[in-house]
Amino acid sequence: MKKFRIGQIVPSSNVTMETEIPALLKAREAVAPERFTFHSARMRMKHVTKEELEKMDADSDRCALELSDAKVDVMGYACLVAIMSMGKGYHCVSGPRLAGVAADNGGPAPVVTSAGALIEGIRALGAKKIALVAPYMKPLTEMVVEYIRNEGIEVSDYIALEIQDNLDVAAHDPMNLPEIVKGLKTDDVDAVVLSACVQMPSLPAVPMAEAVTGKPVLTAAIATTWQMLKELDLDTRVPGGGTLLSGAY
């Protein structure tokens, strides 16, 4: 039985990625032999504003350094909007830089950003056009939309829930999401992003949202888990993880 150490770089106020990613990988343990342990380093952030996000991102190198001391097998940068607020395509800069920090410290590990994972997960599904739900204020949501569009993916509709406090985002009831999704125009999209945020809980709602829309539904947490498994060269079938984690991608 092989064991893997999963490292996460998380905002100090994030309480969701340390529940949803372990939940997904523990669900995988029911159908596959590998086992996982979870290890985190934190960056200070309480309010989801561009200023706090930029300040927080500057702390990510320290987190990568700390996690490399633990010799984790993969790292996940668990703040999608922090990466996207730093400029279009920034996930292509952040991931390699943090991997370099870990390697220089003698603890090399691939680094997955939730922003980059969402882009790659959408592409893996073959989706050219999506609709999405985000908890952010409208200007930040529009920034996320433009970031995704810059990657060649059309965002035809989106809903901004306009929740500014990060703990309030975590407190949002995921079972409200299927009803919220009904407000999106999804007839002509290829996939739906149910939570374009690693802090907004969504896992219990994914099967319901797929039933409501008839489309593949993914989230930032699902995409991050999928890309972590890919980096570890492991099978990507996870019960309850939606289409992307069906094992077919």
Side-chain angles (χ1 to χ4, degrees), residues 83-84 86-94 147 150-151:
I83 292 287
M84 292 189 177
M86 295 296 289
K88 291 172 179 156
Y90 183 66
H91 65 281
C92 297
V93 175
S94 173
Y147 191 102
N150 186 64
E151 295 294 325

Side-chain angles (χ1 to χ4, degrees), residues 32-61:
E34 294 82 16
R35 296 295 180 261
F36 304 91
T37 60
F38 305 94
H39 315 275
S40 298
R42 311 188 87 75
M43 314 170 282
R44 286 298 307 281
M45 189 271 281
K46 293 176 70 176
H47 300 98
V48 191
T49 64
K50 195 171 189 301
E51 293 73 25
E52 280 204 40
L53 292 168
E54 289 178 357
K55 185 177 177 181
M56 181 191 75
D57 181 71
D59 221 14
S60 60
D61 286 45

